[in-house]
Amino acid sequence: MAPTTEALTAERILEATEEALRRHGPAKATVVDVARALGVSHGSVYRHFRTKAALREAVTKRWLDRTSQILAEIARPSSAPPPEALERWLSTLFTAKRHKAGDDPELFATYSVLLDEASAVVEEHVAELVDQLSDIIHRGVMEGDFMTVDGDSVATARAVFHATNRFHDPAYAHEWEKPGIEAEFSTVVTLVLRGLRRRID
Amino acid sequence: MAPTTEALTAERILEATEEALRRHGPAKATVVDVARALGVSHGSVYRHFRTKAALREAVTKRWLDRTSQILAEIARPSSAPPPEALERWLSTLFTAKRHKAGDDPELFATYSVLLDEASAVVEEHVAELVDQLSDIIHRGVMEGDFMTVDGDSVATARAVFHATNRFHDPAYAHEWEKPGIEAEFSTVVTLVLRGLRRRID
């Protein structure tokens, strides 16, 4: 049990929620489990998250944010030339997803259930990732490396995201440890990067 | 009940099996249902398909073959210039899958269960589709339209298949009636075709 003297922050509640989900699974974990682990009343938890659904959404968002925050660094203008940044962004996403799936399969299965419940949170997360990709692509156009499809960098970013979904969509997690998956990833990325390259001819 | 005077062919058994699956669902449909619909003994069915599993695999393969046979026509050398053939192949696949999912959702759900059971049949089907793509790409290289990734037309074909999986993998069937899906498809296809195009520079 955590010391009750520590201030009850939203972050501490979310940590305890993840732990409760890990222990009891998404079907059984309750707000009471979370409150008990923190040594507080469940009323104190509800002061931060007004419903159980809000708490589950917040913990799902936090899990997704861990990935998007790392990727945001790579998408920043100062990071690398756009083609290199794009390749690094895609391989960092694939690596992060593989780690989430492989290092803690139970927690990954738990979050897969939560993702199905929280479609608005997932849509927001995807929109954020597409925005990051779109920033890299737009910079690539400005610097003369890339050309978009139909002059639309957001639609082009979404196409890059869709074209690589085998390597980030949890629906394909069972493929991520198969032999040859890295070669497959690299072939798709090469094809996509070639598709973005500005043509001189 | 079908007339028993008609010869009991494998094709008639498979038709009756699909109908039994549609009526009773994949969990409940039995060989006895199939035999009864045909007015024959279940022994007669077993003379064509030695086990219930073999029958289910055969009906799954038949369902998948309906798509690959249409696509085989497009992949043939006489069909069209390779870039046009590739685009037509991908959009025909997407259209065929959308029809299967949208026109008869119950049968589609049934076959989704069967596909999970019959991983060898599915792998063979995917290998066949990748071969067709690889033929188009190889022809495109010969005619000066395309270049492969690392000189490997099979790996490149597989990458094209993977890059478009949002538009043929049944896991995405719930996306196929959303507004904007056709524009998304066309942006991915444009990006992939650009990636294949031989560069003059």
Side-chain angles (χ1 to χ4, degrees), chain B residues 159-176:
Chain B
V160 170
F161 194 72
H162 289 157
T164 52
N165 61 9
R166 179 178 174 79
F167 310 102
H168 56 72
D169 188 327
Y172 291 98
H174 60 284
E175 306 274 359
W176 296 342

Side-chain angles (χ1 to χ4, degrees), chain A residues 123 147-150 155-156 158-160 162-167 169 171-172 178 184 186-188 190-192 194-201, chain B residues 123 147-150 155-156 158-160 162-167 169 171-172 178 184 186-188 190-192 194-201:
Chain A
E123 269 173 41
M147 58 186 259
T148 59
V149 178
D150 300 330
T156 305
R158 198 175 294 118
V160 170
H162 289 156
T164 52
N165 61 8
R166 179 178 174 80
F167 310 102
D169 187 328
Y172 291 99
K178 288 193 178 166
E184 288 178 3
S186 134
T187 308
V188 169
T190 301
L191 188 67
V192 164
R194 279 195 194 165
L196 288 171
R197 279 270 180 198
R198 191 163 72 95
R199 303 178 72 84
I200 313 296
D201 53 338
Chain B
E123 269 174 43
M147 59 187 257
T148 59
V149 178
D150 300 330
T156 305
R158 200 174 292 119
V160 170
H162 289 157
T164 52
N165 61 9
R166 179 178 174 79
F167 310 102
D169 188 327
Y172 291 98
K178 288 194 178 164
E184 288 178 3
S186 133
T187 308
V188 169
T190 301
L191 188 67
V192 164
R194 279 195 195 165
L196 287 172
R197 279 269 179 200
R198 192 164 72 96
R199 304 178 70 84
I200 314 293
D201 54 340

Side-chain angles (χ1 to χ4, degrees), chain A residues 42-149:
Chain A
H42 63 271
S44 313
V45 174
Y46 282 123
R47 267 192 290 279
H48 287 267
F49 299 96
R50 294 200 307 178
T51 62
K52 184 181 169 182
L55 177 57
R56 285 164 82 102
E57 276 182 17
V59 80
T60 306
K61 181 170 166 16
R62 174 174 172 268
W63 191 66
L64 295 172
D65 283 350
R66 274 181 219 157
T67 306
S68 46
Q69 280 158 9
I70 298 168
L71 295 171
E73 284 302 305
I74 301 171
R76 285 176 56 199
S78 56
S79 126
E84 203 185 314
L86 186 64
E87 193 167 356
R88 198 184 299 167
W89 192 95
L90 290 168
S91 73
T92 302
L93 175 58
F94 184 33
T95 304
K97 290 290 180 110
R98 284 175 94 184
H99 272 292
K100 277 182 171 177
D103 296 351
D104 194 341
E106 276 183 33
L107 193 65
F108 188 75
T110 290
Y111 275 110
S112 297
V113 173
L114 295 181
L115 293 176
D116 284 342
E117 285 173 13
S119 60
V121 172
V122 173
E123 269 173 41
E124 221 173 273
H125 173 66
V126 170
E128 196 181 334
L129 296 186
V130 169
D131 273 352
Q132 293 182 9
L133 277 174
S134 162
D135 287 347
I136 300 174
I137 290 169
H138 180 73
R139 212 164 58 244
V141 172
M142 293 294 110
E143 295 181 14
D145 294 313
F146 288 156
M147 58 186 259
T148 59
V149 178

